[in-house]
Amino acid sequence: MAKKFNINGVCSPDGHYMVALGSRLAEIKKMIDAGDYFTINRARQYGKTTILKALVEFLREDYIVVSLDFQNIESAEFSSGNFFVHALAREISRKIKRRKDVPEGINKKMMELSESRSENLRLAEMFDCFSEWCGQSEKPIVLLIDEIDTATNNQVFLDFLAQLRAAYLDRREMPTFQSVILAGVCDVRHIKQKIRPDEEHKVNSPWNIAAKFRVGMSFTVEDITEMLEEYEKDYQTGMDIEKMSEWIYDYTSGYPYLVSSLCKNLDEEIIGTEGYPDLNSVWTKKGFLEAIKLLVNDNNALFQSLTGKLTDYPMLRTVLYELLFTGKQIPYVPQNRYIEVAEMFGFIKNDGGTAVIANRIFETVLYNLFISEEFTASEMYDAGAKERNQFIVNGHLNVRRVLEKFVETFDDLYGDRDETFLEDAGRRYFMLFLKPIINGVGNSYVEPETRNRERMDLVIDYCGERSVIEMKVWRGNAYHERGEEQLSAYLDHFHLKKGYMLSFNFNRKKEIGVKEIVLGDKLLIEATV
């Protein structure tokens, strides 16, 4: 059977194109060999379950691995200690009853605990069984639990963590697990904040024994290249594997689900549509941009989960909005609750001490979401939508005309507003104006390294053509000239000869309009409002 790119469930080397996991598994095994207890916390659909399944096989020769999934335990079974012990024993018994390397007495005891209906059943009885098992086992035992988020709102789970911690601390006196691995989105070191509202317990979790998990789970350019090389051997598309890998990484920052989704769109969704008769035409820059468009317009479970968190955490929405539209630089301080939450759910990452949006795909999805919430009451959006046809000439986006019309519309609507308004809202209004013009055909994103209060480079991809617009707040002639030089250098990065600049100028004597500037071998189209 032909291999596929998989975005649903666990990936298998036999049936799916996937990155090699060997080096990551070896790093995790080093932690297990050292006796570490740790958590694997990553955002949704980050490949946690795939790597855990592969880890079970990787450890088979040296360890007995008890691999559990807390999704198999019903919510009611976390309501009390005896219910939880019964359910946990049931799940363990299912895993070990056919194993020849588990002592018969342990199998029998686990079965008894799973069938017991005693209201006096306690976690201590389960942990006595664990200790006895670890003492009799010929191989060290590793306990691996996936989907721990299922349990984190329950006091009984905290009690379970406390017992694991006590066993870890007493490991020199009493046999216990070689290693315990808990996997999920939430960081269980801080789950008490969900159960107890008082400040004393917000960050006081019994899981303070966890070692730092430093194994990278994002895909690298090299990972993507290796995966595409395998695909190319099967299909001979003639793609430039190196460039395609760099493009995919550039937009996804190696987020596993996003990488696989783009590849799946290229392999399955685009072929046969207009302009893409075969895979040779699909695996190109134009095809790649089409795959991006399909992905950002897909209302998949990952995007639903992300946007749902904005409702659950209103302050998170405010932070992301500021970060996206005003250029506000937010220091990456992991002790800050909202930074911690934003990173835990995959919204942001640490870029040299500054919090930035995790990848261009998420950035585009968030821009689209925030803009969609405003467009019904936005005169700028309406203006862009009404004038759309004049900006597209023979399938090409006329960026100069976009700027000219924006300057005219913005001056009519907001020309008398003050400096604070221009600084906070100007760039957002341009993006509202642009959105209906490129919607459904092109995409835009902001370069993270240029996002700040003073300047923000917006990159537009439209039908395979790229345009760069530097949006900046006027800070005087000297700063303006530096901006021109920065834009020229940035155009070199993209191998472009024409660039655009949009300045929001507070000077009452400013000259509103659009003009051309020749700078070396570059043509700069400058618009001022």
Side-chain angles (χ1 to χ4, degrees):
M1 185 176 66
K3 288 187 177 182
K4 297 288 185 181
F5 291 102
N6 181 41
I7 59 173
N8 300 309
V10 178
C11 291
S12 165
D14 296 330
H16 304 125
Y17 294 108
M18 56 184 292
V19 305
L21 299 177
S23 61
R24 293 173 173 84
L25 296 174
E27 289 185 64
I28 298 174
K29 185 175 183 296
K30 287 180 182 178
M31 298 183 69
I32 294 169
D33 292 341
D36 289 338
Y37 285 29
F38 56 95
T39 59
I40 300 178
N41 301 117
R42 292 295 185 276
R44 288 294 177 198
Q45 294 180 286
Y46 218 98
K48 297 183 297 293
T49 301
T50 293
I51 204 164
L52 292 177
K53 294 290 186 183
L55 184 62
V56 172
E57 294 301 315
F58 193 77
L59 298 175
R60 190 173 298 278
E61 292 296 319
D62 300 313
Y63 296 100
I64 293 176
V65 182
V66 182
S67 177
L68 306 177
D69 186 336
F70 267 8
Q71 287 186 123
N72 294 326
I73 298 179
E74 298 176 8
S75 57
E77 293 175 317
F78 288 104
S79 62
S80 67
N82 62 306
F83 286 169
F84 179 67
V85 170
H86 163 74
L88 185 62
R90 180 193 67 223
E91 294 304 310
I92 295 175
S93 183
R94 287 172 53 195
K95 293 284 185 175
I96 67 174
K97 63 183 179 180
R98 294 184 178 88
R99 297 190 60 150
K100 297 180 180 179
D101 52 5
V102 177
E104 182 59 33
I106 300 301
N107 254 315
K108 182 179 179 181
K109 178 63 175 177
M110 204 63 68
M111 183 65 72
E112 290 173 353
L113 290 174
S114 71
E115 295 175 348
S116 174
R117 294 296 181 269
S118 171
E119 294 184 1
N120 297 319
L121 197 60
R122 296 291 179 264
L123 278 170
E125 295 180 58
M126 173 66 78
F127 275 84
D128 285 344
C129 184
F130 285 158
S131 184
E132 184 178 351
W133 183 10
C134 292
Q136 296 180 26
S137 179
E138 296 181 359
K139 295 180 181 179
I141 301 174
V142 174
L143 178 63
L144 191 160
I145 304 176
D146 196 7
E147 297 293 345
I148 59 165
D149 301 273
T150 305
T152 53
N153 281 325
N154 301 280
Q155 182 62 46
V156 69
F157 180 61
L158 290 179
D159 296 337
F160 176 66
L161 292 183
Q163 293 274 7
L164 285 173
R165 178 179 182 272
Y168 175 86
L169 296 176
D170 290 341
R171 62 197 308 175
R172 294 184 181 276
E173 289 76 33
M174 296 289 291
T176 190
F177 299 114
Q178 168 74 14
S179 179
V180 175
I181 307 168
L182 306 180
V185 173
C186 294
D187 187 341
V188 296
R189 291 175 300 172
H190 304 292
I191 61 172
K192 280 203 173 183
Q193 65 188 11
K194 290 189 171 188
I195 299 173
R196 302 182 183 180
D198 55 291
E199 293 294 327
E200 179 184 354
H201 292 96
K202 276 193 173 182
V203 291
N204 182 24
S205 167
W207 199 242
N208 56 9
I209 56 171
K212 187 72 174 179
F213 184 75
R214 302 183 186 277
V215 179
M217 292 181 64
S218 298
F219 296 165
T220 64
V221 174
E222 292 74 21
D223 288 330
I224 299 169
T225 297
E226 186 175 324
M227 180 173 62
L228 292 184
E229 285 174 344
E230 183 184 4
Y231 178 86
E232 185 66 8
K233 287 179 183 178
D234 291 339
Y235 291 99
Q236 295 86 47
T237 69
M239 78 169 89
D240 187 327
I241 294 176
E242 183 178 346
K243 285 186 178 179
M244 186 63 68
S245 300
E246 290 173 353
W247 293 335
I248 292 172
Y249 182 82
D250 196 34
Y251 274 80
T252 65
S253 296
Y255 197 112
Y257 175 83
L258 300 180
V259 171
S260 296
S261 290
L262 286 178
C263 291
K264 191 175 184 67
N265 285 346
L266 286 160
D267 180 49
E268 299 179 21
E269 301 298 330
I270 298 176
I271 187 169
T273 61
E274 184 177 356
Y276 303 98
D278 51 35
L279 287 174
N280 302 70
S281 58
V282 168
W283 289 88
T284 61
K285 183 60 179 292
K286 185 179 178 181
F288 170 75
L289 294 177
E290 184 69 17
I292 292 287
K293 185 179 71 176
L294 290 176
L295 178 55
V296 299
N297 290 322
D298 180 25
N299 189 27
N300 56 59
L302 174 60
F303 295 167
Q304 290 175 355
S305 175
L306 283 173
T307 55
K309 297 297 185 295
L310 302 181
T311 302
D312 298 336
Y313 298 86
M315 186 59 190
L316 178 60
R317 167 184 284 270
T318 301
V319 168
L320 293 172
Y321 191 94
E322 288 286 319
L323 187 61
L324 286 167
F325 287 109
T326 71
K328 183 177 182 179
Q329 290 195 329
I330 301 176
Y332 178 87
V333 181
Q335 292 79 18
N336 180 298
R337 181 174 176 237
Y338 295 105
I339 294 296
E340 179 191 33
V341 169
E343 183 177 38
M344 181 172 67
F345 292 135
F347 285 108
I348 66 169
K349 63 182 178 181
N350 180 11
D351 183 21
T354 300
V356 300
I357 303 299
N359 56 69
R360 289 178 179 173
I361 299 296
F362 285 178
E363 181 172 282
T364 302
V365 169
L366 290 170
Y367 273 129
N368 290 345
L369 173 67
F370 289 140
I371 287 174
S372 71
E373 293 173 343
E374 295 190 45
F375 75 78
T376 54
S378 171
E379 294 177 284
M380 290 303 300
Y381 186 96
D382 289 343
K386 290 176 182 177
E387 304 287 347
R388 183 180 188 277
N389 290 337
Q390 67 176 287
F391 305 122
I392 311 300
V393 181
N394 297 324
H396 300 278
L397 178 66
N398 188 332
V399 181
R400 176 176 183 139
R401 183 61 185 142
V402 172
L403 290 174
E404 290 172 341
K405 193 62 182 178
F406 173 76
V407 169
E408 176 186 325
T409 306
F410 190 90
D411 189 55
D412 288 343
L413 295 174
Y414 310 113
D416 59 348
R417 296 297 184 95
D418 59 18
E419 178 176 334
T420 300
F421 172 83
L422 286 174
E423 186 166 358
D424 289 346
R427 291 174 290 198
R428 174 166 56 90
Y429 278 125
F430 178 72
M431 297 179 77
L432 275 165
F433 183 80
L434 178 66
K435 176 62 178 174
I437 296 172
I438 66 172
N439 193 36
V441 179
N443 294 299
S444 64
Y445 59 88
V446 172
E447 280 296 315
E449 61 265 28
T450 68
R451 182 193 286 114
N452 56 52
R453 285 264 181 202
E454 295 183 340
R455 66 184 287 250
M456 185 184 289
D457 288 328
L458 181 70
V459 181
I460 304 171
D461 286 321
Y462 191 91
C463 290
E465 296 178 340
R466 175 167 285 172
S467 303
V468 178
I469 303 176
E470 179 181 306
M471 300 182 292
K472 70 185 192 63
V473 178
W474 180 268
R475 302 295 187 197
N477 287 326
Y479 171 76
H480 183 71
E481 291 173 0
R482 287 198 304 273
E484 292 175 341
E485 294 171 358
Q486 289 170 335
L487 177 56
S488 178
Y490 202 58
L491 293 176
D492 285 334
H493 172 73
F494 283 112
H495 307 292
L496 298 172
K497 295 297 184 182
K498 182 191 291 186
Y500 305 87
M501 182 178 289
L502 175 59
S503 297
F504 296 91
N505 193 331
F506 314 134
N507 192 332
R508 293 188 178 277
K509 296 181 179 180
K510 64 190 175 186
E511 182 180 344
I512 295 173
V514 178
K515 63 183 180 180
E516 294 185 359
I517 301 292
V518 177
L519 193 65
D521 62 344
K522 307 293 192 306
L523 176 63
L524 306 185
I525 310 298
E526 298 192 2
T528 302
V529 295

